[in-house]
Amino acid sequence: MRRNQIVALGLAALGLAAVAGCQQSEPPAAPPPEPSAPIAETAPVTATYVCDSGLTVAVAYPDPQSAQVTYRDRTYALRGAPAASGARYSDAEVEWRSLTRDGVEQATLSRLVAEDAPIVLERCSRPAPGASLVVPPPADAAAGDQAPAAAAPPCRGPQLKLSAEGGDAGAGNRVSILGVQNIGAAACSLTGYPIVTLQDAQGGPIGAVRAEQSLGSYFRQGEIPGPVELAPQAKAFFDIAWNVVPDESQGQKTCPSAARIRITAPGDTSPVALAQAFTPCGGRIRVSPFRPLAEAEPAA
Protein backbone atom coordinates (compact mmCIF):
# COMPACT_ATOMS: atom_id res chain seq x y z
CA MET A 1 0.00 0.00 0.00
CA ARG A 2 2.71 2.48 0.93
CA ARG A 3 4.56 1.60 -2.23
CA ASN A 4 1.50 2.43 -4.31
CA GLN A 5 1.22 5.84 -2.66
CA ILE A 6 4.87 6.61 -3.44
CA VAL A 7 4.34 5.69 -7.11
CA ALA A 8 1.23 7.88 -7.30
CA LEU A 9 3.07 10.86 -5.81
CA GLY A 10 5.88 10.39 -8.34
CA LEU A 11 3.50 10.32 -11.29
CA ALA A 12 1.78 13.48 -10.03
CA ALA A 13 5.12 15.27 -9.79
CA LEU A 14 5.98 14.26 -13.35
CA GLY A 15 2.60 15.59 -14.57
CA LEU A 16 3.17 18.97 -12.93
CA ALA A 17 6.64 19.19 -14.47
CA ALA A 18 5.19 18.41 -17.91
CA VAL A 19 2.53 21.11 -17.58
CA ALA A 20 5.17 23.64 -16.48
CA GLY A 21 7.32 22.71 -19.44
CA CYS A 22 4.45 23.24 -21.89
CA GLN A 23 3.70 26.63 -20.45
CA GLN A 24 7.33 27.74 -20.75
CA SER A 25 7.54 26.64 -24.40
CA GLU A 26 4.89 29.18 -25.53
CA PRO A 27 6.49 32.30 -27.12
CA PRO A 28 6.11 35.52 -25.17
CA ALA A 29 3.37 37.90 -26.34
CA ALA A 30 4.57 40.49 -28.87
CA PRO A 31 4.64 44.07 -27.56
CA PRO A 32 1.99 46.41 -29.02
CA PRO A 33 3.17 48.26 -32.14
CA GLU A 34 4.37 51.80 -31.66
CA PRO A 35 1.99 54.41 -33.05
CA SER A 36 3.08 55.70 -36.44
CA ALA A 37 3.79 59.37 -36.90
CA PRO A 38 0.67 61.23 -38.07
CA ILE A 39 0.58 62.23 -41.73
CA ALA A 40 0.40 65.96 -42.19
CA GLU A 41 -3.03 67.05 -43.41
CA THR A 42 -3.40 68.89 -46.68
CA ALA A 43 -3.17 72.61 -46.12
CA PRO A 44 -6.27 74.72 -46.82
CA VAL A 45 -6.67 75.73 -50.46
CA THR A 46 -5.50 79.30 -50.93
CA ALA A 47 -5.99 79.69 -54.70
CA THR A 48 -8.23 78.16 -57.38
CA TYR A 49 -7.26 78.50 -61.03
CA VAL A 50 -9.64 78.06 -63.99
CA CYS A 51 -8.00 76.24 -66.91
CA ASP A 52 -8.49 76.44 -70.65
CA SER A 53 -10.03 72.95 -70.62
CA GLY A 54 -12.77 74.08 -68.23
CA LEU A 55 -11.27 72.13 -65.32
CA THR A 56 -9.85 73.76 -62.22
CA VAL A 57 -6.60 73.42 -60.29
CA ALA A 58 -6.71 74.05 -56.53
CA VAL A 59 -3.44 75.03 -54.87
CA ALA A 60 -2.42 75.38 -51.25
CA TYR A 61 0.79 77.17 -50.31
CA PRO A 62 1.68 75.96 -46.77
CA ASP A 63 4.94 77.93 -46.85
CA PRO A 64 7.05 79.88 -49.39
CA GLN A 65 8.94 76.75 -50.45
CA SER A 66 6.12 74.30 -51.08
CA ALA A 67 2.83 73.93 -52.95
CA GLN A 68 0.10 71.30 -52.79
CA VAL A 69 -1.50 71.13 -56.23
CA THR A 70 -4.81 69.27 -56.63
CA TYR A 71 -5.82 68.27 -60.17
CA ARG A 72 -8.34 65.61 -61.21
CA ASP A 73 -8.79 64.42 -57.59
CA ARG A 74 -5.06 63.91 -57.07
CA THR A 75 -2.85 66.11 -54.90
CA TYR A 76 0.85 66.62 -55.68
CA ALA A 77 3.20 67.80 -52.92
CA LEU A 78 5.71 70.00 -54.74
CA ARG A 79 8.82 71.85 -53.62
CA GLY A 80 10.10 75.21 -54.77
CA ALA A 81 12.51 75.16 -57.71
CA PRO A 82 14.62 77.84 -59.44
CA ALA A 83 12.78 79.91 -62.07
CA ALA A 84 13.89 82.72 -64.37
CA SER A 85 10.65 84.57 -63.58
CA GLY A 86 7.56 83.95 -61.50
CA ALA A 87 7.25 80.93 -59.21
CA ARG A 88 8.02 77.28 -59.93
CA TYR A 89 7.32 74.12 -57.93
CA SER A 90 8.00 70.53 -58.96
CA ASP A 91 8.57 66.92 -57.98
CA ALA A 92 9.75 63.98 -60.07
CA GLU A 93 6.44 63.84 -61.96
CA VAL A 94 4.88 67.28 -62.48
CA GLU A 95 5.74 70.97 -62.50
CA TRP A 96 3.61 73.99 -61.51
CA ARG A 97 4.64 77.46 -62.77
CA SER A 98 2.89 80.78 -62.20
CA LEU A 99 3.52 84.35 -63.32
CA THR A 100 1.52 87.50 -62.60
CA ARG A 101 1.05 89.98 -65.42
CA ASP A 102 -1.45 92.80 -65.97
CA GLY A 103 -3.53 91.91 -62.92
CA VAL A 104 -3.88 88.23 -63.90
CA GLU A 105 -1.94 85.29 -62.46
CA GLN A 106 -1.25 82.80 -65.25
CA ALA A 107 -0.10 79.27 -64.49
CA THR A 108 0.75 76.00 -66.21
CA LEU A 109 0.68 72.44 -64.94
CA SER A 110 3.10 70.21 -66.86
CA ARG A 111 4.18 66.58 -66.81
CA LEU A 112 7.95 66.15 -66.59
CA VAL A 113 8.90 63.71 -69.32
CA ALA A 114 12.29 65.40 -69.55
CA GLU A 115 13.47 68.43 -67.59
CA ASP A 116 14.01 70.47 -70.74
CA ALA A 117 10.82 69.32 -72.51
CA PRO A 118 7.80 69.25 -70.15
CA ILE A 119 4.38 68.42 -71.59
CA VAL A 120 1.76 71.04 -70.67
CA LEU A 121 -1.33 69.46 -69.13
CA GLU A 122 -3.25 72.64 -68.34
CA ARG A 123 -2.99 76.39 -68.89
CA CYS A 124 -4.84 78.20 -66.11
CA SER A 125 -5.39 81.67 -64.69
CA ARG A 126 -7.07 83.65 -61.93
CA PRO A 127 -7.26 87.32 -60.90
CA ALA A 128 -3.99 88.27 -59.24
CA PRO A 129 -4.24 88.49 -55.42
CA GLY A 130 -4.40 92.04 -54.19
CA ALA A 131 -5.06 93.46 -57.65
CA SER A 132 -7.22 96.54 -57.39
CA LEU A 133 -8.44 98.88 -60.05
CA VAL A 134 -9.86 102.34 -59.41
CA VAL A 135 -13.18 103.05 -61.08
CA PRO A 136 -14.03 106.76 -61.52
CA PRO A 137 -17.38 107.85 -60.03
CA PRO A 138 -20.24 108.75 -62.37
CA ALA A 139 -19.99 112.27 -63.75
CA ASP A 140 -23.32 113.32 -62.26
CA ALA A 141 -22.55 112.05 -58.76
CA ALA A 142 -22.44 114.72 -56.07
CA ALA A 143 -18.95 115.05 -54.63
CA GLY A 144 -18.38 114.16 -51.02
CA ASP A 145 -21.98 113.62 -49.91
CA GLN A 146 -22.66 110.03 -51.00
CA ALA A 147 -21.37 106.77 -49.61
CA PRO A 148 -19.78 104.52 -52.26
CA ALA A 149 -22.14 101.88 -53.59
CA ALA A 150 -21.36 98.26 -52.79
CA ALA A 151 -19.64 96.46 -55.66
CA ALA A 152 -21.72 93.92 -57.54
CA PRO A 153 -20.67 90.27 -57.03
CA PRO A 154 -18.75 88.51 -59.82
CA CYS A 155 -20.83 87.17 -62.69
CA ARG A 156 -21.31 83.40 -62.92
CA GLY A 157 -21.88 81.21 -65.93
CA PRO A 158 -25.60 80.42 -65.39
CA GLN A 159 -26.47 84.15 -65.51
CA LEU A 160 -24.50 84.90 -68.70
CA LYS A 161 -25.28 84.63 -72.42
CA LEU A 162 -22.70 84.93 -75.20
CA SER A 163 -23.43 86.67 -78.53
CA ALA A 164 -21.62 87.80 -81.69
CA GLU A 165 -21.49 91.60 -81.99
CA GLY A 166 -19.59 92.12 -85.24
CA GLY A 167 -15.92 92.22 -86.20
CA ASP A 168 -13.40 93.26 -88.81
CA ALA A 169 -10.95 91.76 -91.31
CA GLY A 170 -7.86 92.85 -93.22
CA ALA A 171 -4.38 91.74 -94.34
CA GLY A 172 -4.84 88.18 -93.10
CA ASN A 173 -6.06 89.31 -89.67
CA ARG A 174 -9.53 88.77 -88.26
CA VAL A 175 -11.29 90.09 -85.16
CA SER A 176 -14.62 89.07 -83.64
CA ILE A 177 -16.38 91.21 -81.03
CA LEU A 178 -18.33 89.12 -78.54
CA GLY A 179 -21.00 90.30 -76.12
CA VAL A 180 -21.55 88.85 -72.65
CA GLN A 181 -25.07 89.59 -71.41
CA ASN A 182 -26.31 89.39 -67.83
CA ILE A 183 -29.56 87.45 -68.17
CA GLY A 184 -29.93 87.11 -64.40
CA ALA A 185 -32.20 89.08 -62.07
CA ALA A 186 -29.39 90.82 -60.14
CA ALA A 187 -26.42 92.95 -61.11
CA CYS A 188 -23.00 91.32 -61.41
CA SER A 189 -19.51 92.36 -62.50
CA LEU A 190 -16.75 91.11 -64.80
CA THR A 191 -13.11 92.04 -64.20
CA GLY A 192 -10.09 91.10 -66.30
CA TYR A 193 -10.13 88.47 -69.02
CA PRO A 194 -12.47 85.66 -69.99
CA ILE A 195 -10.98 82.17 -70.10
CA VAL A 196 -11.41 81.21 -73.77
CA THR A 197 -11.23 77.76 -75.33
CA LEU A 198 -12.10 76.60 -78.84
CA GLN A 199 -13.97 73.42 -79.74
CA ASP A 200 -14.19 71.48 -82.98
CA ALA A 201 -17.37 70.25 -84.68
CA GLN A 202 -17.45 67.18 -82.41
CA GLY A 203 -17.25 69.32 -79.25
CA GLY A 204 -13.65 68.41 -78.45
CA PRO A 205 -11.12 71.04 -77.32
CA ILE A 206 -8.64 72.32 -79.92
CA GLY A 207 -5.44 72.04 -77.92
CA ALA A 208 -3.27 73.22 -80.81
CA VAL A 209 -4.59 76.78 -80.40
CA ARG A 210 -3.76 78.71 -77.24
CA ALA A 211 -5.49 81.86 -76.02
CA GLU A 212 -3.16 84.75 -75.19
CA GLN A 213 -4.28 87.75 -73.14
CA SER A 214 -3.47 91.20 -74.51
CA LEU A 215 -3.94 94.66 -73.03
CA GLY A 216 -6.78 96.72 -74.41
CA SER A 217 -8.98 95.75 -77.35
CA TYR A 218 -8.07 95.05 -80.95
CA PHE A 219 -8.75 98.71 -81.78
CA ARG A 220 -7.38 100.25 -78.59
CA GLN A 221 -4.13 98.65 -77.52
CA GLY A 222 -2.52 99.07 -74.11
CA GLU A 223 -5.58 99.86 -71.99
CA ILE A 224 -5.52 98.38 -68.47
CA PRO A 225 -8.48 96.06 -67.75
CA GLY A 226 -11.02 97.36 -65.25
CA PRO A 227 -14.24 96.05 -63.67
CA VAL A 228 -17.42 96.21 -65.74
CA GLU A 229 -20.68 96.18 -63.79
CA LEU A 230 -23.67 94.65 -65.55
CA ALA A 231 -27.22 95.49 -64.61
CA PRO A 232 -29.79 92.84 -65.58
CA GLN A 233 -29.90 92.50 -69.40
CA ALA A 234 -26.79 94.71 -69.84
CA LYS A 235 -23.74 93.57 -71.84
CA ALA A 236 -19.98 93.65 -71.57
CA PHE A 237 -17.74 93.07 -74.58
CA PHE A 238 -14.37 91.57 -75.50
CA ASP A 239 -12.46 90.69 -78.68
CA ILE A 240 -10.80 87.60 -80.03
CA ALA A 241 -8.31 88.21 -82.84
CA TRP A 242 -6.51 85.69 -85.06
CA ASN A 243 -4.62 85.24 -88.31
CA VAL A 244 -5.88 83.21 -91.27
CA VAL A 245 -2.53 82.67 -93.03
CA PRO A 246 -0.82 79.33 -92.25
CA ASP A 247 2.53 79.70 -90.51
CA GLU A 248 4.76 78.01 -93.05
CA SER A 249 7.87 78.68 -90.95
CA GLN A 250 6.45 76.15 -88.49
CA GLY A 251 5.46 73.73 -91.24
CA GLN A 252 1.76 74.64 -91.02
CA LYS A 253 -0.14 74.05 -94.28
CA THR A 254 -3.71 73.98 -92.99
CA CYS A 255 -5.25 75.64 -89.93
CA PRO A 256 -7.52 74.07 -87.31
CA SER A 257 -11.27 74.43 -87.86
CA ALA A 258 -13.08 75.83 -84.82
CA ALA A 259 -16.84 75.42 -84.55
CA ARG A 260 -17.55 76.82 -81.11
CA ILE A 261 -16.16 79.41 -78.69
CA ARG A 262 -16.44 78.64 -75.00
CA ILE A 263 -15.68 81.15 -72.26
CA THR A 264 -15.54 81.04 -68.48
CA ALA A 265 -15.87 84.16 -66.34
CA PRO A 266 -12.87 84.94 -64.08
CA GLY A 267 -12.97 82.88 -60.90
CA ASP A 268 -15.87 80.73 -62.14
CA THR A 269 -16.04 77.17 -63.49
CA SER A 270 -19.31 77.21 -65.48
CA PRO A 271 -18.64 77.79 -69.20
CA VAL A 272 -20.84 79.65 -71.70
CA ALA A 273 -20.64 78.69 -75.39
CA LEU A 274 -21.39 80.25 -78.78
CA ALA A 275 -21.37 78.54 -82.19
CA GLN A 276 -18.90 80.32 -84.46
CA ALA A 277 -16.92 78.74 -87.31
CA PHE A 278 -13.43 80.08 -88.13
CA THR A 279 -9.89 78.84 -88.82
CA PRO A 280 -7.23 80.37 -86.54
CA CYS A 281 -3.68 79.91 -87.83
CA GLY A 282 -0.34 80.20 -86.08
CA GLY A 283 -1.42 78.24 -83.00
CA ARG A 284 -2.92 81.17 -81.10
CA ILE A 285 -5.73 83.66 -80.70
CA ARG A 286 -5.49 86.97 -78.81
CA VAL A 287 -8.10 87.79 -76.18
CA SER A 288 -8.88 91.28 -74.85
CA PRO A 289 -10.22 92.10 -71.38
CA PHE A 290 -13.87 92.88 -70.74
CA ARG A 291 -15.00 96.45 -71.52
CA PRO A 292 -18.34 98.27 -71.27
CA LEU A 293 -18.62 99.31 -74.95
CA ALA A 294 -18.60 97.29 -78.18
CA GLU A 295 -16.24 99.73 -79.94
CA ALA A 296 -17.05 98.35 -83.37
CA GLU A 297 -15.08 101.15 -85.02
CA PRO A 298 -11.46 102.21 -84.37
CA ALA A 299 -11.06 105.12 -81.98
CA ALA A 300 -10.51 108.46 -83.75
Side-chain angles (χ1 to χ4, degrees):
M1 183 68 180
R2 182 176 179 82
R3 182 179 179 182
N4 290 340
Q5 290 178 344
I6 293 173
V7 171
L9 289 174
L11 292 173
L14 290 174
L16 290 174
V19 171
C22 292
Q23 291 177 345
Q24 291 176 359
S25 63
E26 295 180 359
E34 295 183 2
S36 58
I39 299 175
E41 296 183 357
T42 302
V45 172
T46 55
T48 300
Y49 300 78
V50 180
C51 305
D52 290 353
S53 67
L55 299 177
T56 59
V57 174
V59 184
Y61 295 102
D63 56 70
Q65 296 300 320
S66 62
Q68 296 172 349
V69 177
T70 300
Y71 173 65
R72 292 183 179 272
D73 298 326
R74 181 176 174 183
T75 298
Y76 301 89
L78 310 181
R79 298 295 299 170
S85 59
R88 176 174 172 247
Y89 302 87
S90 66
D91 62 6
E93 187 174 357
V94 298
E95 173 187 84
W96 174 252
R97 286 179 176 263
S98 63
L99 177 66
T100 299
R101 180 184 300 164
D102 303 328
V104 177
E105 186 179 359
Q106 300 173 328
T108 57
L109 178 66
S110 305
R111 187 172 301 282
L112 295 178
V113 178
E115 186 175 354
D116 58 345
I119 297 176
V120 175
L121 300 175
E122 294 286 356
R123 300 183 189 274
C124 315
S125 65
R126 67 167 184 140
S132 59
L133 297 168
V134 178
V135 183
D140 57 352
D145 59 354
Q146 293 184 358
C155 297
R156 302 300 181 191
Q159 67 189 119
L160 297 177
K161 179 181 178 181
L162 198 59
S163 61
E165 301 292 335
D168 199 0
N173 294 310
R174 303 289 186 271
V175 61
S176 179
I177 301 172
L178 301 179
V180 185
Q181 185 178 21
N182 176 11
I183 59 175
C188 65
S189 63
L190 294 167
T191 302
Y193 296 83
I195 307 302
V196 179
T197 56
L198 305 182
Q199 294 180 320
D200 57 25
Q202 288 71 43
I206 302 178
V209 180
R210 66 184 184 276
E212 296 183 351
Q213 298 171 346
S214 60
L215 285 178
S217 66
Y218 182 78
F219 300 115
R220 291 188 178 180
Q221 299 295 317
E223 291 184 331
I224 302 297
V228 180
E229 185 165 325
L230 298 181
Q233 304 306 312
K235 288 184 179 181
F237 303 88
F238 71 96
D239 301 336
I240 61 169
W242 68 97
N243 191 278
V244 295
V245 179
D247 187 354
E248 295 183 356
S249 66
Q250 299 296 324
Q252 187 177 51
K253 297 184 180 301
T254 60
C255 302
S257 295
R260 185 180 297 269
I261 300 170
R262 191 174 75 163
I263 77 158
T264 306
D268 194 23
T269 58
S270 302
V272 184
L274 174 70
Q276 183 162 330
F278 62 107
T279 54
C281 298
R284 67 168 186 161
I285 60 173
R286 299 182 300 282
V287 181
S288 77
F290 294 110
R291 60 179 184 272
L293 301 174
E295 293 181 355
E297 297 296 334

